[in-house]
Amino acid sequence: MAVVQKWREGMSSDNVKGLVLALSSSLFIGASFIVKKKGLKKAGASGIRAGVGGYSYLLEPLWWAGMITTILVTPLGALSIIISAVLAHIILRERLHTFGILGCILCVVGSTTIVLHAPQERQIESVTEVWDLATEPGFLFYTALVLTAVFILIYQFVPQYGQTHIMVYIGVCSLVGSISVMSVKALGIALKLTFSGTNQLVYPQTWAFTLVVITCVLTQMNYLNKALDTFNTAVVSPIYYVMFTSLTILASVIMFKDWDGQSPTQILTEMCGFVTILSGTFLLHKTKDMADGPGLSTSLSMRSLKHEEDDGFGEGIPLKRQDT
């Protein structure tokens, strides 16, 4: 009973409302991943694939439908992992191993734990206050590390391993995403205060955050499309969710000092949730190229690149390049 009481104390009505909103949006988010993937495959059939640097998907209405659906809801609710996996199995004929499904469930459980015990937002009175937080040494150091890692991935790893290592594209998306979320939050605060009567549009910091948001979102969109066009959607969705969420939490802790007002129990519970989603990601990694049933499971070391879908774009690309 004492544990249950502490668990209830660790949650607030805002946490519960946030969880309900996230779950209610998950159907649209999960479906949008499938619609975008169908749009990418359709565009790739008549032009250059996004996975190899093409942008013909920008002329594909189906891709835009999926993209707009994603924008209209909060990106990547926890349940969307399961929805994406199920719809990918039914619509795209992408197969997920039983342990892969378990990995998805673990991701959902861990994410839900983190959301329910998330810290309360601090009160912000001006966009300049957010700017001061963003320019503190700790967050500037984090930003420098992120930018360095992104440039290394884009210029060193993407040309060689982008088509065979799923973590390359997703790593770029997630790292850039952690910065974009902080900027979106700052921009949202500025707009909220402006609509409340305190004009924040006169501050140059508002427009600086806007520029960062546009740059980061375009970068995320580009490399997420590459990941969806190259790898299994049922694997891209949860791995991206885990990395994106984890790095966003880290960025928020550094910038907004979210853990300052939390008890050790709440922090420990959040860490347990984080370990749970890491475990789910590990299962997805290990079972990406496995199939259920005797004789159908194939070792990663023996798998080669293949394209076996009807339109020529297969989903059996292994996570790591195999030496010949």
Side-chain angles (χ1 to χ4, degrees), residues 13 30 68 104 140 155 166 181 214-215 256 260 262 289 294-295 322:
S13 59
I68 292 172
C104 289
L140 288 178
Y155 292 106
I166 192 173
V181 169
I214 294 174
T215 303
F256 292 98
D260 286 357
Q262 288 196 294
D289 290 318
Q322 307 301 323

Side-chain angles (χ1 to χ4, degrees), residues 26 53 84 112 118 242 251:
S26 293
S84 293
T112 303
V242 169

Side-chain angles (χ1 to χ4, degrees), residues 304 321-324:
S304 59
R321 173 177 295 169
Q322 307 301 323
D323 295 329
T324 57

Side-chain angles (χ1 to χ4, degrees), residues 180 194 203 223 298:
S180 70
T194 298
Y203 295 107
Y223 286 96
T298 307

Side-chain angles (χ1 to χ4, degrees), residues 17-303:
K17 291 176 182 177
L19 178 62
V20 172
L21 289 173
L23 294 177
S24 64
S25 69
S26 293
L27 177 62
F28 296 99
I29 298 166
S32 73
F33 263 66
I34 305 305
V35 174
K36 282 195 292 183
K37 180 63 175 281
K38 294 289 286 186
L40 288 169
K41 296 173 75 173
K42 186 176 180 181
S46 57
I48 302 176
R49 294 177 56 199
V52 293
Y55 295 95
S56 58
Y57 60 83
L58 294 175
L59 302 177
E60 176 55 51
L62 196 60
W63 179 85
W64 281 106
M67 188 67 190
I68 292 172
T69 303
T70 304
I71 293 174
L72 290 178
V73 291
T74 305
L76 289 184
L79 192 59
S80 65
I81 296 173
I82 299 298
I83 294 173
S84 293
V86 172
L87 293 180
H89 178 87
I90 297 173
I91 299 175
L92 302 177
R93 300 191 301 277
E94 297 175 349
R95 299 297 178 258
L96 197 62
H97 189 268
T98 301
F99 286 108
I101 297 174
L102 177 59
C104 289
I105 296 174
L106 286 175
C107 290
V108 173
V109 172
S111 302
T112 303
T113 301
I114 292 176
V115 169
L116 290 176
H117 294 84
Q120 296 294 310
E121 286 191 354
R122 61 186 299 170
Q123 295 297 319
I124 304 292
E125 304 297 334
S126 171
V127 70
T128 57
E129 185 177 343
V130 184
W131 182 264
D132 290 339
L133 292 172
T135 53
E136 288 187 355
F139 190 72
L140 288 178
F141 179 70
Y142 173 78
T143 303
L145 287 179
V146 167
L147 293 177
T148 301
V150 167
F151 277 109
I152 291 175
L153 285 173
I154 291 177
Y155 292 106
Q156 294 293 327
F157 288 90
V158 166
Q160 297 183 51
Y161 306 110
Q163 295 291 304
T164 54
H165 287 63
I166 192 173
M167 299 302 293
V168 175
Y169 289 148
I170 295 182
V172 174
C173 294
S174 303
L175 287 166
V176 174
S178 67
I179 301 297
S180 70
V181 169
M182 298 302 102
S183 299
V184 166
K185 189 172 183 178
L187 188 58
I189 291 172
L191 292 176
K192 178 182 177 181
L193 292 173
T194 298
F195 292 144
S196 299
T198 306
N199 189 7
Q200 302 293 304
L201 301 181
V202 297
Y203 295 107
Q205 290 90 336
T206 300
W207 301 105
F209 282 125
T210 302
L211 180 62
V212 173
V213 168
I214 294 174
T215 303
C216 290
V217 168
L218 289 176
T219 303
Q220 283 179 269
M221 181 181 70
N222 181 36
Y223 286 96
L224 181 58
N225 286 330
K226 291 178 182 291
L228 287 172
D229 188 56
T230 306
F231 300 101
N232 190 320
T233 309
V235 176
V236 170
S237 176
I239 293 178
Y240 175 52
Y241 173 75
V242 169
M243 287 193 65
F244 177 79
T245 302
S246 301
L247 289 170
T248 298
I249 290 173
L250 177 61
S252 183
V253 167
I254 295 173
M255 180 172 172
F256 292 98
K257 301 175 177 61
D258 290 334
W259 283 354
D260 286 357
Q262 288 196 294
S263 66
T265 302
Q266 289 175 302
I267 295 175
L268 181 60
T269 303
E270 291 174 26
M271 293 303 297
C272 289
F274 179 71
V275 172
T276 302
I277 58 180
L278 285 182
S279 301
T281 307
F282 177 79
L283 280 178
L284 285 166
H285 265 292
K286 291 299 183 182
T287 61
K288 193 262 181 184
D289 290 318
M290 296 172 63
D292 286 322
L296 294 178
S297 180
T298 307
S299 171
L300 284 174
S301 61
M302 299 298 293
R303 294 296 297 268

